[in-house]
Amino acid sequence: MTATTTETTVIPHFLNGAETTGAGNRTAPVYNPATGAVSGELRLANREDLETAVAAAKTAAATWGDISLAKRTAVLFRFRELVAAHVDDLAQLITAEHGKVLSDAKGEIGRGLEVVEYACGIPQLLKGDYSDQVSSGIDVFSFRQPLGVVAGITPFNFPVMVPLWMAPMAIATGNAFILKPSERDPSASVLLARLWKQAGLPDGVFQVLHGDKETVDGLLTHPDVDGISFVGSTPIAKYVHETATAHGKRVQALGGAKNHAIVMPDADLDNAADHLSAAAFGSAGERCMAISVAVAVGNAADLLVKKVEERALDIKVSNGTEPDAQMGPVITPASKKRIISIVTEAEKAGAALVVDGRDLVVPGHEEGFWVGPTVIDHVKTEMSAYTEEIFGPVLAVVRVEDLEEGIRLINANPYGNGTAIFTSSGAHARTFQRAVTVGMIGINVPLPVPVAYHSFGGWKASLFGDRHIYGPESVSFYTRGKVVTSRWPDPTHASGASYNFPSHADEHAVRPDGIVEGLPEQADGTDAVPGRADDATVGRSQRD
């Protein structure tokens, strides 16, 4: 396919508070997937650009991490208002470079704003613990400090939401953040950088560094980068985790998915079909939480497939800027070719092609990267339509006899990102939610993306690292804990230092039976503080 070329714009980096074409001389084309036209020329970083970004971030982190929480939250509140005021601008950039419809692009921004709003509560989220008088004159307290310089490597499918899942929490906790967005749809990230600066964020605290594998490897191995957040495919997530951890970095790397939705015979099948269609074909299936496998249980299968077929045929596929568009194109010609190949393989292997979107043409946009909604029935688990993360508008239907077989099917899959069940039975729902080895579960909800004050993350090959993204776990990820044991002795008294290992009972004698002597006594001669020195549940006197 030969893409149409129109007037292009140069898409710059945003380094140390300013837009710049950088020192690198390599570029990459950016396409409008709906037309096939080249719309932009992206500047790709070289090593000098990487060093510039990291040095600026390191300098900025040294002061930003000491800025008061009140000043940090003031910037976050202003940033939130600026993003909300520029939703239309951001959505248009997303649609022009990704292809998703404008309403979907605005929904993406809304979910990102939820994390910004959560980050605005960082003073509460960073509160530590304090234990008074753990021993005579000794107190213990804890607090958290930022890692320093952290980087986010984000995918094409959510060019605003995923960066907003990372950067606000990293910045709120006191870090400097370098964003390496996807080369496919990079323009929205530059607008986000402008809004951060307009909100009053100091130069170097948020930067955008465009690049390819050379830039990614530079971030993964640079000695001054302390943490890496990544969202993408499982093979790359595994590589990112292994490489960055080998270089001493903290890493959260979210990988791919093969999300199943079990549909029970007792479910409202119209409701299930509505949500399956939306979850499978929304954003052309280019979501890590898209439902790509419908697990039809027993006699629900035939009627469910018929209802999904009706809805798939009714979807309006067009340029995302058109007001009635429900689904746009896929991201690249290569993606289109791969999706069509997998569908063709399934058909040849004996699956039933219920709705075929391989030959879709959108009038007036013949050069666009189009694949229509596709439904494949009687899919077997050895077919590539089941084993591969297709990342396209394809719903595979697998038939099982009962709920237990459906759960075994899900648990045998190497991915564990999201899953759902459609049922009217609370017993079925409870069995399902406790038995599946998946991180995010929906009960009659097809896209169970947690709200901002929970954390997002899967199991198995869908996550590398032990901390999920955004929510409470992001506070832990972007900070390190310190515990301080403090004594301010009266200078008129001896220090009481000892060569023995320090213990809270050092000031008391401990009898062979475990009773601590020297504690205040009650009038009857028994210890005023119940409990043995070695077992707080057993009394010191009467209970011995």
Side-chain angles (χ1 to χ4, degrees), residues 514-539:
I515 299 174
V516 177
E517 296 180 334
L519 293 173
E521 293 186 347
Q522 302 182 81
D524 62 1
T526 62
D527 293 323
V529 184
R532 297 171 62 95
D534 60 344
D535 184 353
T537 65
V538 182

Side-chain angles (χ1 to χ4, degrees), residues 346-364:
E347 183 183 31
K348 290 180 177 178
L353 210 53
V354 178
V355 180
D356 187 353
R358 290 175 293 181
D359 297 323
L360 176 71
V361 175
V362 175

Side-chain angles (χ1 to χ4, degrees), residues 241-494:
H241 184 259
E242 290 175 349
T243 305
T245 54
H247 286 80
K249 305 185 191 317
R250 183 174 290 179
V251 185
Q252 54 180 189
L254 282 69
K258 194 70 177 179
N259 303 317
H260 300 64
I262 288 182
V263 181
M264 299 297 295
D266 59 29
D268 179 336
L269 294 186
D270 284 311
N271 177 67
D274 286 342
H275 287 289
L276 281 177
S277 298
F281 308 130
S283 197
E286 294 173 324
R287 295 169 173 160
C288 67
M289 289 294 283
I291 293 296
S292 55
V293 181
V295 183
V297 177
N299 59 15
D302 289 340
L303 185 55
L304 175 69
V305 170
K306 182 63 177 176
K307 289 180 179 295
V308 171
E309 176 188 5
E310 294 169 353
R311 288 154 176 80
L313 291 170
D314 196 43
I315 293 172
K316 172 69 172 179
V317 183
S318 188
N319 189 320
T321 59
E322 296 184 10
D324 60 344
Q326 295 173 297
M327 192 187 101
V330 296
I331 189 70
T332 62
S335 179
K336 174 180 177 177
K337 181 178 179 181
R338 178 176 175 273
I339 293 165
I340 290 173
S341 174
I342 291 173
V343 173
T344 302
E345 287 178 15
E347 183 183 31
K348 290 180 177 178
L353 210 53
V354 178
V355 180
D356 187 353
R358 290 175 293 181
D359 297 323
L360 176 71
V361 175
V362 175
H365 295 77
E366 289 79 6
E367 299 299 316
F369 313 144
W370 304 102
V371 180
T374 300
V375 181
I376 315 173
D377 195 8
H378 298 286
V379 171
K380 305 300 180 185
T381 56
E382 64 271 13
M383 297 178 181
S384 60
Y386 180 78
T387 59
E388 297 287 325
E389 183 184 22
I390 303 174
F391 230 59
V394 179
L395 180 65
V397 181
V398 178
R399 298 179 178 227
V400 298
E401 290 298 320
D402 53 32
L403 175 60
E404 289 70 25
E405 184 182 354
I407 291 172
R408 289 196 299 272
L409 178 79
I410 294 171
N411 289 351
N413 194 276
Y415 297 108
N417 207 47
T419 189
I421 185 172
F422 289 90
T423 180
S424 61
S425 166
H428 288 156
R430 182 169 174 78
T431 296
F432 178 76
Q433 71 188 31
R434 293 187 62 80
V436 290
T437 53
V438 177
M440 292 172 284
I441 300 165
I443 308 298
N444 297 310
V445 175
L447 296 174
V449 179
V451 293
Y453 39 88
H454 289 266
S455 294
F456 179 105
W459 287 15
K460 299 185 290 190
S462 294
L463 176 70
F464 298 86
D466 61 354
R467 292 176 176 89
H468 293 175
I469 202 167
Y470 70 72
E473 291 193 39
S474 68
V475 178
S476 175
F477 178 78
Y478 288 122
T479 61
R480 294 186 179 97
K482 282 184 175 178
V483 180
V484 178
T485 302
S486 173
R487 186 208 312 254
W488 296 96
D490 186 330
T492 63
H493 291 75

Side-chain angles (χ1 to χ4, degrees), residues 21-285:
T21 56
N25 55 18
R26 294 186 304 126
T27 63
V30 177
Y31 293 89
N32 182 330
T35 65
V38 176
S39 60
E41 180 183 80
L42 179 67
R43 305 291 298 190
L44 299 177
N46 65 5
R47 186 70 193 190
E48 182 180 341
D49 296 321
L50 174 69
E51 294 293 345
T52 297
V54 174
K58 186 175 181 180
T59 299
T63 53
W64 177 249
D66 283 335
I67 293 288
S68 72
L69 292 175
K71 291 181 179 178
R72 285 189 224 163
T73 54
V75 172
L76 285 160
F77 274 108
R78 285 195 294 268
F79 178 70
R80 189 266 172 210
E81 294 307 306
L82 287 167
V83 172
H86 287 81
V87 166
D88 288 342
D89 299 327
L90 288 165
Q92 288 167 9
L93 290 173
I94 294 169
T95 297
E97 294 180 350
H98 175 278
K100 66 176 67 177
V101 302
L102 281 169
S103 58
D104 190 29
K106 291 179 181 179
E108 166 187 343
I109 299 164
R111 291 307 296 263
L113 274 171
E114 292 177 8
V115 178
V116 181
E117 291 161 0
Y118 180 76
C120 287
I122 197 64
Q124 176 70 22
L125 301 173
L126 279 179
K127 286 174 65 176
D129 297 316
Y130 193 98
S131 296
D132 175 68
Q133 196 75 353
V134 298
S135 190
S136 296
I138 296 180
D139 307 322
V140 178
F141 60 95
S142 65
F143 63 98
R144 304 195 69 84
Q145 290 183 309
L147 296 181
V149 176
V150 296
I153 303 166
T154 57
F156 75 84
N157 57 330
F158 289 103
V160 168
M161 185 182 75
V162 173
L164 291 183
W165 281 4
M166 299 175 182
M169 292 305 300
I171 290 169
T173 50
N175 299 277
F177 186 87
I178 300 171
L179 172 62
K180 206 303 287 181
S182 169
E183 310 96 290
R184 306 296 184 193
D185 44 12
S187 293
S189 62
V190 180
L191 179 51
L192 288 177
R194 296 181 196 135
L195 298 181
W196 276 115
K197 184 176 179 67
Q198 190 176 342
L201 192 68
D203 293 347
V205 179
F206 180 88
Q207 300 178 90
V208 177
L209 184 70
H210 301 296
D212 49 17
K213 187 177 185 299
E214 178 183 328
T215 302
V216 171
D217 285 342
L219 291 169
L220 300 183
T221 59
H222 199 290
D224 290 332
V225 175
D226 302 291
I228 298 287
S229 297
F230 172 85
V231 176
S233 68
T234 286
I236 305 303
K238 187 172 185 288
Y239 170 80
V240 165
H241 184 259
E242 290 175 349
T243 305
T245 54
H247 286 80
K249 305 185 191 317
R250 183 174 290 179
V251 185
Q252 54 180 189
L254 282 69
K258 194 70 177 179
N259 303 317
H260 300 64
I262 288 182
V263 181
M264 299 297 295
D266 59 29
D268 179 336
L269 294 186
D270 284 311
N271 177 67
D274 286 342
H275 287 289
L276 281 177
S277 298
F281 308 130
S283 197

